[in-house]
Amino acid sequence: FKSALNNASDKAATRLRTAYDSAVQKGTDRYIELLFALANGPHLAKQFKQICTDYEEIMKERPERPRYNTIKNNGQDIRNALESLSKRRFLR
């Protein structure tokens, strides 16, 4: 049983790692912090406002990194990035 669970988790981790690598290597790595903000916390479903808040907290620790504007046009930069990730099936 433990062997089967370990095998299943290894396969899932590989798939998740491949999707993450693909998402952040498609022309820009600006998705990294956004993906961190999405994954921050125990719940898979998050309100957009909370994603923006988590993103801003992450970016405080990474001032040298390019960032999305969370205020301009009601966070349209982040909405566009999320839509792009979703269309490319990275947010399944």
Side-chain angles (χ1 to χ4, degrees), residues 48-88:
F48 180 75
K49 183 177 180 180
Q50 186 61 51
I51 294 169
C52 290
T53 300
D54 290 348
Y55 177 79
E56 287 296 331
E57 288 297 314
I58 291 167
M59 294 311 290
K60 283 181 187 175
E61 301 297 322
R62 301 173 65 107
E64 75 287 352
R65 300 276 296 148
R67 63 180 35 212
Y68 293 107
N69 189 331
T70 59
I71 303 206
K72 181 181 175 185
N73 296 327
N74 198 22
Q76 193 60 44
D77 288 350
I78 288 185
R79 291 178 195 278
N80 292 342
L82 290 171
E83 178 142 351
S84 175
L85 286 168
S86 182
K87 282 182 180 177
R88 292 165 48 201

Side-chain angles (χ1 to χ4, degrees), residues 20 31-59 61 91:
Y20 171 80
Y31 291 129
I32 292 172
E33 290 84 6
L34 185 53
L35 290 170
F36 288 163
L38 283 168
N40 186 30
H43 305 290
L44 294 177
K46 293 177 81 170
Q47 295 290 323
F48 180 75
K49 183 177 180 180
Q50 186 61 51
I51 294 169
C52 290
T53 300
D54 290 348
Y55 177 79
E56 287 296 331
E57 288 297 314
I58 291 167
M59 294 311 290
E61 301 297 322
L91 302 180

Side-chain angles (χ1 to χ4, degrees), residues 11-31:
K11 287 181 181 179
T14 300
R15 282 194 300 267
L16 291 172
R17 182 68 185 172
T18 300
Y20 171 80
D21 288 343
S22 183
V24 299
Q25 293 174 0
K26 295 289 185 182
T28 181
D29 66 352
R30 286 180 61 186
Y31 291 129

